[in-house]
Amino acid sequence: MPPAVLDTLLCVGAYLVGAVPFGYLVARARGVDLFKAGSGNIGATNVARTLGRKYGVLVFALDFLKGAGPVAAVVPLARAIDPDAATDAGAAAFLRVGAAALAFLGHLFPVFLGFRGGKGVATGAGAVCVLVPIPAAAAVAAWATVALATRYVSLASLCAAAALVIVWLAASPDPFGRGQLTITAFLIVGVAVVVVKHRANIRRLLAGTENQIGDGPMRDKLAKGIHILALGMWFGGAGFFNFVAAPAIFESFRTVAADGPSDRTAYQSIAPVTASEEEKKALASALAGAAVGPVFPKYFLMQSVCAGMALVTAFGWCAADGGRRIHKLRVAVLALATACVAVGWPLSNYVSQLRLERFHPDAATAAAAKEAFAAWHLLSLGLSCVTVLLAGVALAMAVQLPERREPK
C-alpha cells in the first residue's frame, strides 16, 4: 500500500473515532436530547449539568480516550500494516499530529450528528496528553486550579489551553524547528479553535452571566490542597536548588579542577599542569555553569507553574472574601514573588551568557563579560533569594487559609 494512502486511511480512522458522540449517546440512553437541554452542547460539562456528575465524568473519560487512543495507536498501526513505509509523510511526529488533529476535528464536527459537535476540550486533552505529556500536565494543573478557584469551567478550559502552548514554547528547545514545527502549529491552531468555540462563554464571562459549577466542602479542600502543594514545591524546590544543589555543584567542580586527575575525571587531566589557581577557578566556574545552565529553563518553568497555581487560588479567596486583610496581603506577596520569577528568568539567561563569554577567544569580548558578570550574577542571586523568601512567607501564611462558611 502506498504510504500516502496508508497515512490518509489512518487519519480518516482517527476522525471517525473522534466523531463518536459519546455525550449525545449517553444522554439519549437516558432519554435526553442534549441539543435541547442545558447549553445545547454535547460535551461533558453539559452532560454533568443535565444528567448529573457521574455521567459527566463518564463522558469526559470517553471523550478523553477517543483523543488519546488514535494518537497512541497510529504509529504502531502504520508499522504493523507496512513496516517499510518510511517516508516524510509517514514520520512518527507527522502521523501523531495528524491523528490528533483529525480526532479533535471529529469531536468538533462529527459526521454522525450533521457536524454539530462539542468544544473539544476533553478530546483535545486526551490527544495532547499523548503528544506532549509535560505541557499537557501543566494544562491539567491550570484547569484544575482555575476551575476550583473560580468555579467557571469555561474559563478553566481557556486558561488550560493557553498554559499548554506557553509551557510547550518555554520547555521545547526549538519549538519552530523542523522536528517540532508540526506539533507547535497543531497546538497553536488547536488553542485558537478552542477559543473560537468558547466565544459565547467568553461573552457570558464578560457579562457576568456564565454558569458556575456547584460549590461544596470538597471544592474548598481541593483548592487549599493545590495552593499548599504549589507553595511547598515552589519553596522547597527553589530553596534546595539555590542553597543546596547549586553551591554543591560549583564547589564540586572547584575541587575537581584543583585536585587534577582523579576518579571524578576518569583520571584524565582537565587543566594544564602549568595552570594557575585563578585559571583553575575559572575552569571550574565554566564547567559548573555548563552543568547548571540547562537546568535553568526547567527550574524557572517549575517556579512559574507553581506561582500561577498559588496566585490563582489566592485570587479566588480574595474575590470571594476580599474584606479580609490576610487575603489581600497573600495576593500581594504572591504577585511580588511571581514578578521576581518573571524578571529572574531572562536575567538568569543573560548571566549564563556572560559566564560563557568570559572565556571568549576575543580579548575585548571576554574582558567586557568579566567586568559585567559579577554585578549581574550578584543581582541574579539576590533576586533568587528574595523569591525563596517570599515563597516561604506565602507558605507560612497558608496556616490562615479561609474557613468555609456554610449558608445560613
Side-chain angles (χ1 to χ4, degrees):
M1 182 183 297
V5 175
L6 176 59
D7 297 341
T8 301
L9 290 176
L10 288 172
C11 288
V12 169
Y15 168 82
L16 293 175
V17 171
V20 177
F22 286 117
Y24 182 84
L25 294 175
V26 169
R28 269 301 189 188
R30 301 293 300 171
V32 176
D33 183 356
L34 281 182
F35 289 128
K36 300 178 181 178
S39 65
N41 190 269
I42 65 168
T45 302
N46 197 35
V47 172
R49 187 181 298 120
T50 305
L51 300 179
R53 184 178 300 174
K54 64 178 182 179
Y55 290 103
V57 171
L58 172 63
V59 170
F60 183 91
L62 292 172
D63 284 347
F64 182 94
L65 289 173
K66 75 181 185 182
V71 181
V74 66
V75 172
L77 277 175
R79 290 172 178 166
I81 295 171
D82 187 359
D84 298 324
T87 65
D88 288 341
F94 183 91
L95 271 178
R96 290 192 182 98
V97 170
L102 269 295
F104 181 64
L105 289 173
H107 181 80
L108 296 178
F109 309 106
V111 65
F112 307 117
L113 294 178
F115 304 103
R116 297 174 63 191
K119 296 175 181 177
V121 174
T123 303
V128 298
C129 277
V130 178
L131 193 63
V132 286
I134 293 177
V140 170
W143 187 94
T145 303
V146 176
L148 290 171
T150 68
R151 295 168 51 209
Y152 289 118
V153 173
S154 57
L155 180 60
S157 300
L158 292 167
C159 290
L164 177 71
V165 172
I166 291 170
V167 172
W168 167 254
L169 294 175
S172 178
D174 187 14
F176 296 100
R178 183 180 178 186
Q180 307 292 334
L181 182 58
T182 53
I183 297 177
T184 302
F186 166 71
L187 294 179
I188 292 174
V189 172
V191 167
V193 171
V194 168
V195 172
V196 171
K197 295 288 283 186
H198 280 79
R199 59 190 183 278
N201 303 86
I202 294 172
R203 286 195 293 267
R204 290 194 295 269
L205 284 167
L206 294 174
T209 58
E210 176 68 326
N211 294 320
Q212 291 180 292
I213 59 175
D215 195 6
M218 182 56 68
R219 186 188 74 86
D220 285 346
K221 291 178 182 178
L222 289 173
K224 291 176 182 178
I226 286 177
H227 185 81
I228 294 172
L229 176 64
L231 287 174
M233 290 179 60
W234 189 3
F235 177 68
F240 178 80
F241 180 78
N242 282 288
F243 303 124
V244 179
I249 291 171
F250 277 86
E251 182 59 33
S252 175
F253 275 102
R254 288 192 190 98
T255 302
V256 168
D259 291 349
S262 67
D263 59 335
R264 301 181 71 178
T265 65
Y267 296 101
Q268 299 294 316
S269 177
I270 62 173
V273 178
T274 58
S276 65
E277 288 301 316
E278 285 300 320
E279 290 173 331
K280 289 181 179 180
K281 288 181 180 179
L283 175 62
S285 177
L287 292 173
V292 174
V295 178
F296 280 123
K298 297 178 177 62
Y299 166 67
F300 279 102
L301 183 60
M302 178 275 294
Q303 288 196 90
S304 300
V305 171
C306 292
M309 294 170 66
L311 192 56
V312 168
T313 47
F315 265 126
W317 293 321
C318 190
D321 189 13
R324 294 190 61 189
R325 183 181 177 186
I326 184 67
H327 297 327
K328 295 179 180 178
L329 183 59
R330 192 193 323 273
V331 168
V333 169
L334 287 170
L336 185 57
T338 303
C340 288
V341 173
V343 174
W345 194 338
L347 178 59
S348 173
N349 292 336
Y350 180 60
V351 170
S352 296
Q353 179 183 341
L354 289 176
R355 187 186 302 277
L356 296 176
E357 288 181 354
R358 292 181 304 163
F359 310 102
H360 198 279
D362 180 68
T365 301
K370 289 177 182 177
E371 183 179 355
F373 177 78
W376 287 111
H377 188 217
L378 183 61
L379 179 60
S380 179
L381 290 175
L383 201 58
S384 295
C385 292
V386 171
T387 304
V388 174
L389 175 63
L390 291 171
V393 170
L395 182 60
M397 294 174 70
V399 299
Q400 293 192 33
L401 293 180
E403 295 294 331
R404 177 173 174 78
R405 296 180 180 179
E406 298 294 342
K408 298 181 181 179

